[in-house]
Amino acid sequence: MGEKMKFLSRGPDETQVIGFRLGGLLRAKSVVCLYGELGAGKTTFVKGIAQALGIPEWDVTSASFTIVVEHDNDIPLYHIDLYRIEKDTDIDAAGIWDYIYSEGITVIEWAERLGKVLDDFIKVKFAIIDERTRDITIEGIDEKDWNYM
């Protein structure tokens, strides 16, 4: 599903705008998996997605300490951060799969810790170029849909 879309972000504001554009394409049951090292811009990107859904950006913070933050909305946004998850049993115990298979929109930071990623998930990869610049690759969105944003 979809092609690889590549973006160059020259700072947090641009990263947030790219997240906002993706957020405008998400529907109930969408799952977005984020990959990238610490400080790559994953939480900033989630702020953009939340904004597109009508959730104030200041409501979005790193979910590292809580693992899951639920944002009530017309379509709920589940912001999951697996940074502190160490094994599959922790994922099961936290009920992560229940969120993924819910009616909401699920965004997962550190998605590589899921162990498996399904083909219908949207994958977003962040590569740090320098202090401000990020290479962002999004897979799983049709280019024609993206162009309408």
Side-chain angles (χ1 to χ4, degrees), residues 8-26:
L8 189 65
S9 169
R10 291 179 179 82
D13 290 347
E14 287 186 21
T15 297
Q16 194 164 330
V17 166
I18 297 165
F20 182 88
R21 290 182 64 197
L22 176 61
L25 298 174
L26 300 177

Side-chain angles (χ1 to χ4, degrees), residues 16-50:
Q16 194 164 330
V17 166
I18 297 165
F20 182 88
R21 290 182 64 197
L22 176 61
L25 298 174
L26 300 177
R27 303 288 172 256
K29 299 185 180 183
S30 293
V31 179
V32 181
C33 295
L34 307 180
Y35 303 88
E37 55 192 286
L38 211 53
K42 296 181 296 296
T43 302
T44 299
F45 191 84
V46 177
K47 286 176 185 271
I49 290 173

Side-chain angles (χ1 to χ4, degrees), residues 70-96:
E70 298 182 28
H71 298 278
D72 288 328
N73 203 23
D74 293 342
I75 302 171
L77 172 65
Y78 304 116
H79 179 198
I80 298 173
D81 188 326
L82 300 180
Y83 183 69
R84 298 194 177 282
I85 292 284
E86 293 180 11
K87 47 193 177 300
D88 292 351
T89 52
D90 293 339
I91 288 172
D92 295 339
I96 301 302

Side-chain angles (χ1 to χ4, degrees), residues 63-148:
S64 290
F65 294 101
T66 51
I67 300 177
V68 179
V69 176
E70 298 182 28
H71 298 278
D72 288 328
N73 203 23
D74 293 342
I75 302 171
L77 172 65
Y78 304 116
H79 179 198
I80 298 173
D81 188 326
L82 300 180
Y83 183 69
R84 298 194 177 282
I85 292 284
E86 293 180 11
K87 47 193 177 300
D88 292 351
T89 52
D90 293 339
I91 288 172
D92 295 339
I96 301 302
W97 295 106
D98 294 336
Y99 289 102
I100 289 172
Y101 294 113
S102 74
E103 296 296 316
I105 293 170
T106 306
V107 181
I108 307 166
E109 294 190 46
W110 300 96
E112 56 273 21
R113 300 192 180 182
L114 274 180
K116 65 178 177 182
V117 173
L118 304 178
D119 289 339
D120 56 348
F121 292 179
I122 297 163
K123 298 166 196 73
V124 183
K125 296 178 180 149
F126 298 80
I128 297 175
I129 307 299
D130 62 34
E131 191 177 311
R132 294 189 52 81
T133 312
R134 304 292 183 263
D135 192 16
I136 300 173
T137 305
I138 301 176
E139 284 182 70
I141 292 284
D142 285 327
E143 188 171 359
K144 64 178 174 41
D145 293 336
W146 192 267
N147 289 335
Y148 287 115

